[in-house]
Amino acid sequence: MSDVPLLPVLKRSFLTKIEDRAVLGWRLFKHSISMIFRNLPVIIRISWFPLLCFGGAIWAFFYSIGLPLSTLWGPSVRFTGSELSSGLFLKFGLFWLFSAFLAIWGVVAWHRYVLLEEAPEGWIPKFRSTAVGTYVWRLFLLVLAFLALGVPLGFLLLGVVSALGWIGIALFVLAGAVLATAFTQMAVTLPAAALEKPISFGEAWEASIDDFWQVLLLVVLVGGLQYAADWISTQLVFVPVLGFVVPLLFAAFLAMLNVSILTTLYGHFVEERPVD
């Protein structure tokens, strides 16, 4: 029989496992960020045309409702009840749908570039109708699932917060992080849709269920980065030019980071690619 004490061995094994999981979560986060900076020229080639169209859509929307484009960085505008007509809501809805279409066009091209090494041809990303359509459908189902689960849970947790005070707030934050992690895992279906290799939510969940805590750490890190960006933007809100440009850059970077995270998770958990 071995003379090695069992308890210290089990303790070291447990701590090593925890450390490995934390390291993997950090590596997933770092890999997703480095992916952006390594591929900036490609990101520009993929995104410049959709962004140009988005800028035109913003101008057209503001022009159609009789406001100058400077409203974006000027004083806030409040609409009265008489100005909130059905026509305004229709214009805003069309603007939102067109903007979402442009965003998904670029996102699909990015997924395909990273995972299939499908470089954009020329300076305008190729529009793949099947991939975009599947992506939209999967995104729609994901939003429905989030609303079906998140809204009732949110109301329940608000009741817990009001009853338990700070303990309730802590439980609310923890539950929010766990829910965000679960939906991040299920959102791996989106890169699969972009590759025209659709998988179900169950398959996406099963691929990473053993690594839930790594993904949770990743979600926490992204949440911390988002909080820092919001704090900096708040400090600059009354600074001319910077108060508009810096939050815009932060928003663009964080949006790209979230897309890169889904790409990384799909590559690592579904395709079993190593993470540097």
Side-chain angles (χ1 to χ4, degrees):
M1 182 179 292
S2 173
D3 294 331
V4 178
L6 182 59
L7 186 58
V9 171
L10 292 176
K11 183 178 179 181
R12 284 198 300 271
S13 176
F14 176 75
L15 291 176
T16 300
K17 190 173 182 180
I18 294 295
E19 183 181 1
D20 289 343
R21 290 184 172 183
V23 168
L24 178 58
W26 168 252
R27 285 166 57 197
L28 291 168
F29 179 69
K30 186 175 69 172
H31 181 82
S32 300
I33 291 179
S34 64
M35 185 190 300
I36 297 174
F37 290 105
R38 289 198 314 266
N39 296 284
L40 275 178
V42 177
I43 291 174
I44 292 172
R45 288 180 63 186
I46 287 174
S47 61
W48 79 270
F49 185 72
L51 284 176
L52 181 65
C53 295
F54 177 66
I58 291 177
W59 177 85
F61 172 70
F62 275 81
Y63 180 81
S64 69
I65 61 176
L67 291 176
L69 198 59
S70 59
T71 305
L72 286 171
W73 55 85
S76 59
V77 176
R78 295 182 179 274
F79 290 99
T80 63
S82 60
E83 294 170 319
L84 295 176
S85 63
S86 58
L88 177 61
F89 284 112
L90 176 62
K91 291 172 184 176
F92 180 76
L94 292 174
F95 166 74
W96 187 88
L97 288 174
F98 184 63
S99 301
F101 163 78
L102 292 173
I104 292 173
W105 180 10
V107 166
V108 167
W110 172 246
H111 286 315
R112 295 182 69 89
Y113 169 74
V114 174
L115 297 169
L116 298 178
E117 299 183 1
E118 185 180 279
E121 301 173 1
W123 282 91
I124 298 178
K126 185 175 182 179
F127 179 74
R128 295 186 173 275
S129 57
T130 301
V132 170
T134 307
Y135 202 98
V136 170
W137 175 243
R138 283 294 175 184
L139 183 60
F140 175 71
L141 292 178
L142 190 66
V143 171
L144 282 184
F146 179 81
L147 292 176
L149 181 60
V151 172
L153 182 61
F155 280 113
L156 176 63
L157 289 173
L158 286 175
V160 172
V161 169
S162 62
L164 298 180
W166 286 106
I167 297 177
I169 293 175
L171 291 174
F172 184 87
V173 172
L174 178 60
V178 170
L179 185 64
T181 302
F183 277 94
T184 298
Q185 290 175 289
M186 289 193 292
V188 169
T189 57
L190 298 178
L195 303 186
E196 300 179 50
K197 300 177 182 178
I199 60 175
S200 67
F201 290 135
E203 290 170 324
W205 174 264
E206 185 178 355
S208 59
I209 183 60
D210 293 334
D211 302 288
F212 179 85
W213 299 109
Q214 292 94 314
V215 183
L216 175 61
L217 175 60
L218 178 64
V219 168
V220 170
L221 289 170
V222 174
L225 191 60
Q226 175 74 64
Y227 178 83
D230 290 343
W231 184 85
I232 295 172
S233 299
T234 302
Q235 306 309 306
L236 298 174
V237 69
F238 294 112
V239 180
V241 183
L242 287 179
F244 171 73
V245 173
V246 171
L248 188 63
L249 291 176
F250 277 146
F253 174 76
L254 289 168
M256 198 69 220
L257 177 59
N258 285 313
V259 175
S260 295
I261 284 172
L262 293 183
T263 309
T264 299
L265 293 178
Y266 178 87
H268 183 65
F269 292 123
V270 178
E271 297 187 342
E272 299 182 353
R273 301 188 186 196
V275 179
D276 299 331

